[in-house]
Amino acid sequence: MPLNRRRFLKKSAVTGAGVAMASAVAAPAAQAAEAGKGHRPAKRYSLTVMGTTDLHGNVFNWDYFKDAEFSDAKGNAKGLARVSTLVDQVRREKGRRNTMLIDAGDTIQGTPLTYYYAKVDPITAPGGPVHPMAAAMNAIGYDAVALGNHEFNYGIETLRKFEEQCDFPLLGANALDAKTLRPAFPPYFMKTFHVKGAPPVRVAVLGLTNPGIAIWDKAYVQGKLTFPGLEEQAAKWVPRLRSMGADVVVVSAHSGSSGTSSYGDQLPYIENSSALVAQQVPGIDAILVGHAHTEIAELLVTNEKTGKTVVLSEPLCYAQRLSLFDFELVFSRGRWSVESVKATVRDSKSVADDPRIMKLLKDDHDIVVAYVNQVVGTATEKLTTVEARYQDAPIIDLITKVQEDVVKAALAGTEHASLPVIAQASPFSRTSEIPAGEVTIRDLSGLYVYDNTLVAKVMTGAQLKAYLEYSAEYFVQTAAGAAVDVEKLTNAGGRPDYNYDYVSGVSYEIDIAQPAGSRIKNVTYGGVALDDAQKFVFAVNNYRANGGGAFPHVASAPELWSESTEIRTRIAEWVTAKGVLDPKDFASVGWKLTRNGTPVF
């Protein structure tokens, strides 16, 4: 679908931003202590802005991959049905007309529920269904939602259809039309609260998304959208919002607070820049933080230009937490000003599911449960990812084998058909299991939890060695003879499991006694030492192919082929075609950890 800004422009042809006004009669304003004898007390107003982020398709407290209620070691609960109960609780406490509800993005991707309505029974089909996240969030009464990077995973057509189904705007001040450089989505949302006996309070929410979209979803957005840095666009829009009469400015940013990036220096913008926005851009009162999947109840950042404190909060992902920003405003000298802001979080496990949301989405949920429990084959033995991050596990070899076969078939009959095909895969989950006996879509989906698609690139032997060396930085340096604790062996420097890659088709050792950069040993192909000039076709997921994780050479390598079918679907097709899932058809020991040549395991 071409970028269509009609809905956006008709909201405000002058400012280029959507404005929604909500008339509300506030609860009687609390009266302050008198400023001085003979003076009337100042008018005050209390306002609460609630926020969620990184919902990733979680409506219910349900694990579709385990076909059971969600549970974790900390007893957390998740899902919008729980958040709905928390929101109702806050609205009763504060007065609904004194509250707002916003989100910081990553809404329509992440569970089989959202996958089903994007791909199996897509919302884009003629007469298609309403997206379950739109239905739930409309029912709960969200005011505005910032775009996350995963909003673009299914393409712009799906995103635009979702936008059409929402009763609230999707905000993205730094999501620009690549040709006009104008906002392709509403940059902000403004809500007006009427206060008895005083002028109204105007609250602006500025939405900012992640510049990494340009890399991670390049296939969908290249030439159509561009994503400048958050600091740059906040500096442009915050003064405008203030000049338009905003008494309170809240930023909803799909960007973590750490100031780091996961894709190296491929873009001149920082991925996790919320704290930098607070520090560098004057005029912001609070920031709802997203993207990083961490819980930050309250983070105070001092703006370097004004010396004022900006309050940040990031609720835990999957609707496990709800952030509350409690604002106290005072009317003085003809205007409202923010006197104080305090951020807290509320825990979804402390409440029950909202039966209204459960009933609303029950049919959608039941359809998806039936879908993921379809049997597609049988396994000769149990396969698990429990040890996959430090030992070559057959279950990961299944992924690479499927990728190799798909790419070989795609390149058959082309000039590149004679090149050997190798593949990468990561141990995404530590708990995935394919049981012996019947294998379902659910089992296979639990192995590959992301909606990645497949790309074929050309790499040389020398580039492959550099790629493996970078991947091996995942391991903590462990001296020969030292005790090995597998719980402390991986994730060096905080690197997540999904940024550690196996590579199939070649054999190699990872010497963890050596410092990072000098660990890859004895790399062979076809039983002989790898030739640096040897060319390979590298079957790689689109996240990695576009630079995700900052692995060397792969993003700039020549691309031969790509597709839009998810790797997860390809795995299900492969197993269905085979009928029997037997490790002898895909498993091999291609790599091992060593210390000075001696295997660790």
Side-chain angles (χ1 to χ4, degrees):
M1 179 182 289
L3 289 178
N4 188 336
R5 300 177 65 246
R6 285 179 296 173
R7 290 179 66 243
F8 168 54
L9 289 174
K10 72 183 181 183
K11 293 178 182 175
S12 176
V14 176
T15 65
V19 180
M21 308 295 281
S23 295
V25 178
Q31 301 298 312
E34 294 205 17
K37 190 173 181 179
H39 290 79
R40 297 179 62 185
K43 288 288 185 180
R44 294 183 179 273
Y45 181 63
S46 299
L47 169 75
T48 298
V49 177
M50 298 175 280
T52 55
T53 191
D54 296 277
L55 298 173
H56 283 288
N58 286 281
V59 174
F60 300 100
N61 189 45
W62 189 259
D63 188 331
Y64 290 94
F65 302 127
K66 295 181 179 177
D67 199 27
E69 286 279 330
F70 169 76
S71 64
D72 66 8
K74 296 181 179 179
N76 285 311
K78 66 179 183 177
L80 277 172
R82 293 291 180 104
V83 158
S84 182
T85 302
L86 288 175
V87 167
D88 284 346
Q89 187 182 78
V90 174
R91 286 169 174 164
R92 286 193 301 271
E93 292 173 11
K94 312 286 186 179
R96 183 183 181 115
R97 294 177 176 182
N98 305 316
T99 66
M100 288 182 69
L101 176 60
I102 63 176
D103 182 88
D106 275 7
T107 303
I108 62 170
Q109 177 277 337
T111 62
L113 181 72
T114 47
Y115 174 80
Y116 187 89
Y117 290 102
K119 290 292 189 176
V120 182
D121 184 13
I123 61 174
T124 51
V130 174
H131 197 288
M133 293 301 286
M137 296 174 84
N138 288 342
I140 295 168
Y142 274 79
D143 289 291
V145 172
L147 293 165
N149 53 286
H150 284 286
E151 260 63 83
F152 295 85
N153 286 174
Y154 298 120
I156 292 173
E157 181 184 7
T158 297
L159 175 55
R160 287 299 188 188
K161 187 64 178 180
F162 174 71
E163 180 186 31
E164 180 184 309
Q165 294 177 342
C166 293
D167 294 340
F168 47 84
L170 301 182
L171 307 179
N174 62 327
L176 309 182
D177 184 293
K179 294 182 175 62
T180 66
L181 297 183
R182 293 177 179 175
F185 295 85
Y188 69 89
F189 171 84
M190 193 175 287
K191 187 168 183 174
T192 298
F193 295 85
H194 290 284
V195 181
K196 187 176 181 180
V201 171
R202 296 178 178 88
V203 181
V205 179
L206 179 68
L208 297 170
T209 193
N210 205 288
I213 296 165
I215 289 176
W216 304 321
D217 278 302
K218 181 173 66 176
Y220 292 125
V221 303
Q222 190 171 36
K224 298 177 181 179
L225 295 171
T226 186
F227 302 89
L230 283 81
E231 302 98 314
E232 169 193 323
Q233 293 301 302
K236 172 182 176 180
W237 281 102
V238 171
R240 291 189 186 183
L241 296 176
R242 289 293 184 183
S243 69
M244 291 165 60
D247 302 299
V248 178
V249 174
V250 177
V251 173
S252 184
H254 194 75
S255 180
S257 61
S258 65
T260 60
S261 293
S262 66
Y263 51 76
D265 58 359
Q266 295 176 63
L267 282 179
Y269 310 120
I270 295 174
E271 177 183 350
N272 295 303
S273 61
S274 288
L276 295 175
V277 171
Q279 184 183 60
Q280 296 176 15
V281 181
I284 298 169
D285 296 300
I287 300 180
L288 176 66
V289 178
H291 185 60
H293 289 210
T294 58
E295 181 178 351
I296 302 173
E298 182 178 63
L299 175 64
L300 305 180
V301 176
T302 301
N303 184 270
E304 61 187 12
K305 296 180 181 177
T306 66
K308 292 184 177 180
T309 298
V310 184
V311 179
L312 283 65
S313 183
E314 181 176 4
L316 193 59
C317 55
Y318 311 148
Q320 294 178 88
R321 304 287 188 273
L322 175 71
S323 282
L324 271 65
F325 295 95
D326 288 308
F327 292 86
E328 296 295 333
L329 291 94
V330 61
F331 188 76
S332 177
R333 296 181 181 177
R335 60 183 293 272
W336 287 103
S337 59
V338 175
E339 188 173 62
S340 66
V341 188
K342 181 174 177 58
T344 55
V345 294
R346 296 200 180 182
D347 196 330
S348 293
K349 70 183 178 186
S350 67
V351 297
D353 293 311
D354 184 341
R356 182 174 61 104
I357 304 302
M358 298 285 284
K359 181 179 179 181
L360 179 67
L361 277 305
K362 182 180 185 302
D363 289 347
D364 291 350
H365 171 73
D366 290 346
I367 288 169
V368 174
V369 168
Y371 166 74
V372 298
N373 279 288
Q374 292 180 77
V375 175
V376 294
T378 58
T380 59
E381 62 184 77
K382 183 172 80 171
L383 302 170
T384 176
T385 59
V386 170
E387 299 178 337
R389 65 192 189 281
Y390 51 85
Q391 292 195 68
D392 192 342
I395 197 169
I396 307 299
D397 293 337
L398 171 62
I399 301 172
T400 58
K401 174 61 174 173
V402 170
Q403 293 180 176
E404 288 175 10
D405 285 359
V406 170
V407 168
K408 285 176 183 176
L411 296 181
T414 72
E415 61 181 304
H416 304 289
S418 61
L419 289 178
V421 177
I422 59 178
Q424 63 77 228
S426 304
F428 292 137
S429 167
R430 299 186 180 191
T431 58
S432 293
E433 179 181 300
I434 297 175
E438 290 186 340
V439 178
T440 65
I441 289 175
R442 169 171 60 83
D443 298 322
L444 300 175
S445 297
L447 170 61
Y448 209 107
V449 296
Y450 297 105
D451 293 339
N452 293 340
T453 57
L454 197 53
V455 179
K457 295 259 190 170
V458 176
M459 299 269 281
T460 67
Q463 291 173 332
L464 178 60
K465 288 178 183 176
Y467 188 100
L468 291 172
E469 199 68 73
Y470 178 82
S471 185
E473 293 177 13
Y474 169 75
F475 295 99
V476 174
Q477 186 173 3
T478 309
V484 175
D485 180 351
V486 295
E487 297 305 318
K488 299 178 180 178
L489 184 61
T490 62
N491 307 99
R495 181 183 290 198
D497 296 343
Y498 63 76
N499 276 337
Y500 168 62
D501 282 3
Y502 287 38
V503 174
S504 67
V506 292
S507 295
Y508 56 97
E509 298 174 5
I510 304 173
D511 191 335
I512 59 173
Q514 304 305 315
S518 305
R519 292 176 172 172
I520 299 301
K521 311 292 182 184
N522 301 323
V523 187
T524 61
Y525 170 68
V528 299
L530 180 66
D531 182 348
D532 284 351
Q534 170 74 56
K535 288 187 176 181
F536 296 92
V537 175
F538 195 32
V540 58
N541 71 56
N542 65 303
Y543 173 78
R544 191 72 80 235
N546 290 335
F551 279 63
H553 304 301
V554 65
S556 59
E559 183 175 310
L560 303 181
W561 171 87
S562 65
E563 66 170 350
S564 60
T565 301
E566 293 78 12
I567 293 170
R568 176 197 298 128
T569 299
R570 290 302 192 190
I571 294 171
E573 291 172 347
W574 193 91
V575 173
T576 301
K578 290 284 186 182
V580 176
L581 191 60
D582 189 334
K584 69 178 176 58
D585 294 329
F586 55 83
S588 63
V589 180
W591 64 272
K592 59 186 174 183
L593 297 185
T594 63
R595 289 186 292 185
N596 296 337
T598 301
V600 176
F601 302 105

